[in-house]
Amino acid sequence: MVVLASTPAVDNIPLLRSPDPGDYFAGMPVVDLSSPGAPKAIADACERFGFFKLVNHGVPLDTMERLESEAVRFFSQSQAEKDRSGPAYPFGYGSKRIGLNGDMGWLEYLLLAVSSASLSGACPVPTCPVFRAALNEYIAAVRKVAVRVMEAMAEGLGIVPLDALSSMVTAEGSDQVFRVNHYPPCHALQGLGCSATGFGEHTDPQLVSLLRSNGTSGLQIALQDGRWVSVPSDRDALFVNVGDSLQVLTNGRFKSVKHRVVANSLKSRVSLIYFGGPPLAQRIAPLPQLLGRGELGEQQSAYKDFTWSEYKKAAYKSRLGDNRLAQFLK
Ligand SMILES: C=C1C[C@]23C[C@@]1(O)CC[C@H]2[C@@]12CC[C@H](O)[C@@](C)(C(=O)O1)[C@H]2[C@@H]3C(=O)O
Ligand SMILES: O=C(O)CCC(=O)C(=O)O
Ligand SMILES: [Fe+2]
């Protein structure tokens, strides 16, 4: 992180060295969901990076673009109008403040509750019926992809039944969240050699997150050696993150990926993220098939026993960049 003389527009937002064009993620795994090799490729990518790009996923481009243009229309309203959809917690519009513990980023967003395959009726925003319809169409489609991806993960890990993981997001009462992030261009930092933090480094607490963005890059992931690499944007693709809960369910075989977003000084970024979480009462512990006999006898869970409700509570008490899983290690 670099420290600069204060620039009022970005006060309280941490600054990062501008991404170096050479730091693109050269070895990024790209998985074709329609190919027979997908389960193995997905398991491999989740073990090595906790992250992969997914193509041929089946969400129609116009479903993604319809939602993107409704989101752009929402965020182009006046600040007073947008604030009428706030506060962000538990669900609604938020700006710059992320979470409840002092994290700040150069973005505005909508945090929305999903019930079954659409926006929860208990989530009153957005109020615009056209925006809600676009959200519902996209959420139904992306959730189907999440289910296929989790089935492929199970297959790639050699777990039966194949819905051992995906049933946690399709179960009654599953805790799914949808987020629309808008990172306006940060003109104040143009040419200064540093960028505003859009969304600070963190891992996602859920099982999986599926992200789609417009053509503006900014997403970065940390490799296992700690090096940050930029993920080139691709508006046709989805990007899949392994979350903390999936790391635990796989007893650490899949790694939850540390990621962040760097704001662009010229272009705005819009991202749509589906977070698949289990029901609150779901026990988060390694699947029995992944605790099979190894050379050293019965393998033990590396984690204390906990439920998603307990983990979520702890996550919401933490700062974005905290290592939330550390307190649940044995
Ligand atoms: C600082 C925080 C924001 C967050 C809740 C938390 O206390 C720690 C986890 C954060 C995160 C990251 C992934 C998702 O964007 C999110 C909605 C989630 O479930 O966990 C956010 C939370 C948030 O923005 O409220
Ligand atoms: O907006 C993005 O591209 C990623 C944001 C993110 O990681 C999150 O909302 O958890
Ligand atoms: Fe995230």
Side-chain angles (χ1 to χ4, degrees), residues 108-189:
E108 54 181 345
Y109 58 89
L110 281 165
L111 196 54
L112 306 170
V114 171
S115 169
S116 183
S118 59
L119 276 185
S120 158
C123 189
V125 292
T127 50
C128 166
V130 182
F131 193 4
R132 277 188 96 85
L135 279 160
N136 284 335
E137 182 184 325
Y138 180 78
I139 289 168
V142 78
R143 181 178 183 265
K144 274 191 197 148
V145 179
V147 168
R148 284 174 65 197
V149 164
M150 294 175 89
E151 285 170 359
M153 286 171 170
E155 188 178 341
L157 285 166
I159 289 170
V160 281
L162 281 190
D163 71 352
L165 296 168
S166 63
S167 62
M168 294 186 195
V169 293
T170 54
E172 175 86 32
S174 64
D175 189 20
Q176 307 164 86
V177 177
F178 194 75
R179 174 165 207 142
V180 184
N181 288 337
H182 172 227
Y183 304 88
C186 186
H187 301 298
L189 296 179

Side-chain angles (χ1 to χ4, degrees), residues 7-238:
T7 311
V10 291
D11 264 356
N12 302 317
I13 309 251
L15 302 179
L16 296 160
R17 216 181 305 282
S18 285
D20 182 331
D23 289 345
Y24 273 98
F25 187 5
M28 178 169 62
V30 180
V31 178
D32 177 346
L33 191 56
S34 68
S35 111
K40 161 114 188 37
I42 287 176
D44 213 52
C46 293
E47 287 182 359
R48 295 178 62 207
F49 304 108
F51 178 85
F52 58 94
K53 171 171 160 173
L54 191 68
V55 297
N56 286 326
H57 45 69
V59 181
L61 185 58
D62 65 303
T63 301
M64 306 198 277
E65 287 185 336
R66 205 165 11 251
L67 178 53
E68 182 187 328
S69 64
E70 284 306 313
V72 168
R73 197 202 309 271
F74 175 88
F75 290 119
S76 60
Q77 297 177 107
S78 68
Q79 193 59 52
E81 195 55 45
K82 289 183 281 190
D83 287 339
R84 281 155 52 100
S85 295
Y89 295 93
F91 295 106
Y93 170 81
S95 171
K96 293 196 175 141
R97 289 176 201 288
I98 303 173
L100 302 166
N101 308 308
D103 288 290
M104 303 284 281
W106 187 259
L107 86 165
E108 54 181 345
Y109 58 89
L110 281 165
L111 196 54
L112 306 170
V114 171
S115 169
S116 183
S118 59
L119 276 185
S120 158
C123 189
V125 292
T127 50
C128 166
V130 182
F131 193 4
R132 277 188 96 85
L135 279 160
N136 284 335
E137 182 184 325
Y138 180 78
I139 289 168
V142 78
R143 181 178 183 265
K144 274 191 197 148
V145 179
V147 168
R148 284 174 65 197
V149 164
M150 294 175 89
E151 285 170 359
M153 286 171 170
E155 188 178 341
L157 285 166
I159 289 170
V160 281
L162 281 190
D163 71 352
L165 296 168
S166 63
S167 62
M168 294 186 195
V169 293
T170 54
E172 175 86 32
S174 64
D175 189 20
Q176 307 164 86
V177 177
F178 194 75
R179 174 165 207 142
V180 184
N181 288 337
H182 172 227
Y183 304 88
C186 186
H187 301 298
L189 296 179
Q190 201 179 332
L192 291 181
C194 62
S195 309
T197 299
F199 207 111
E201 67 176 75
H202 66 284
T203 57
D204 294 341
Q206 292 83 359
L207 299 159
V208 288
S209 319
L210 273 64
L211 180 152
R212 190 268 174 182
S213 75
N214 67 349
T216 303
S217 54
L219 179 66
Q220 301 185 340
I221 69 156
L223 302 180
Q224 290 193 21
D225 63 6
R227 201 160 46 92
W228 284 96
V229 286
S230 296
V231 175
S233 64
D234 182 344
R235 33 190 317 125
D236 294 339
L238 292 171

Side-chain angles (χ1 to χ4, degrees), residues 291-307:
L291 288 177
R293 286 193 164 274
E295 274 174 17
L296 303 172
E298 197 72 24
Q299 206 187 324
Q300 293 293 306
S301 167
Y303 305 92
K304 297 174 192 160
D305 251 29
F306 58 89
T307 61

